[in-house]
């Protein structure tokens, strides 16, 4: 029997476990990280980090300035502010601070296969996707038609 919990219930507990030094694997919910992290298909393993690791391209679980948890990619770092954006979002961004980051993605599990977030394949994808921002509109439109 599969149980589903609201993000407002489960994510603070995930953040607490990560703070205690555990890694936590959760299913991806929502479509903001499409096409590479899909709702109901993929899981992410979240773990601890040091602030220096919070660089462009890293995917994090963080509270935005409105207090909502988001699992989005860092697209820019400006002093003590991190600018986050979902891979499937064209314009919408969120701001947060390193103190509001609960954990960083250390692995992605897709169709039973585990991909290390610091591996060459995932880092290359992250770099390219951030750099492809000007033409993402067309890539996402193509993806949605498939």
């Amino acid at each position: 029997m599969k149980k589903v919990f609201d993000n407002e219930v489960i994510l603070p507990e995930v953040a607490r476990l990560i703070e205690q030094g555990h890694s936590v694997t959760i299913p991806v919910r929502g479509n903001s990280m499409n096409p590479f992290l899909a709702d109901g298909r993929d899981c992410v393993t979240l773990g601890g980090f040091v602030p220096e690791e919070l660089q462009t391209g890293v995917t994090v679980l963080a509270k935005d300035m409105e207090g909502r948890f988001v699992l989005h990619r860092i697209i820019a770092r400006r002093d003590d502010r991190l600018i986050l954006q979902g891979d499937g979002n064209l314009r919408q961004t969120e701001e947060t601070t390193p103190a509001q980051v609960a954990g960083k993605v250390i692995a992605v599990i897709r169709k039973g296969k585990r991909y290390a977030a610091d591996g060459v394949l995932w880092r290359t994808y992250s770099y390219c996707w951030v750099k492809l921002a000007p033409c993402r509109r067309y890539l996402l439109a193509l993806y949605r038609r498939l």
Side-chain angles (χ1 to χ4, degrees):
M1 179 170 162
K2 185 176 180 179
K3 290 189 178 192
V4 177
F5 295 93
D6 287 335
N7 284 344
E8 294 79 25
V9 173
I10 196 74
L11 295 180
E13 183 64 16
V14 167
R16 188 183 67 75
L17 289 168
I18 294 168
E19 189 175 323
Q20 292 177 352
H22 301 280
S23 62
V24 180
T25 301
I26 60 172
V28 172
R29 293 185 55 199
N31 295 310
S32 66
M33 288 298 286
N34 273 338
F36 297 97
L37 295 177
D39 179 47
R41 180 190 71 187
D42 301 326
C43 293
V44 292
T45 301
L46 299 157
F49 62 92
V50 294
E52 295 77 26
E53 294 174 317
L54 302 178
Q55 298 299 323
T56 300
V58 173
T59 303
V60 296
L61 175 67
K63 277 190 175 181
D64 66 9
M65 296 308 228
E66 296 174 13
R68 298 171 301 156
F69 275 104
V70 294
L71 180 73
H72 285 169
R73 188 176 307 282
I74 299 171
I75 61 165
R77 185 170 183 159
R78 299 186 186 120
D79 301 319
D80 65 341
R81 297 278 187 223
L82 302 173
I83 311 304
L84 308 176
Q85 184 176 42
D87 289 351
N89 294 342
L90 295 172
R91 289 192 176 87
Q92 179 182 344
T93 61
E94 295 85 15
E95 271 192 43
T96 193
T97 64
Q100 292 294 95
V101 175
K104 76 171 193 166
V105 172
I106 58 175
V108 173
I109 301 161
R110 176 178 295 144
K111 298 179 183 175
K113 186 168 181 184
R114 184 178 179 89
Y115 298 91
D118 63 353
V120 173
L121 181 67
W122 201 259
R123 282 191 358 245
T124 300
Y125 152 70
S126 297
Y127 175 81
C128 291
W129 194 248
V130 169
K131 294 298 180 187
L132 286 171
C135 57
R136 264 196 236 170
R137 168 184 303 276
Y138 307 107
L139 295 171
L140 288 168
L142 179 64
Y143 171 76
R144 289 180 182 130
R145 285 190 176 95
L146 296 178

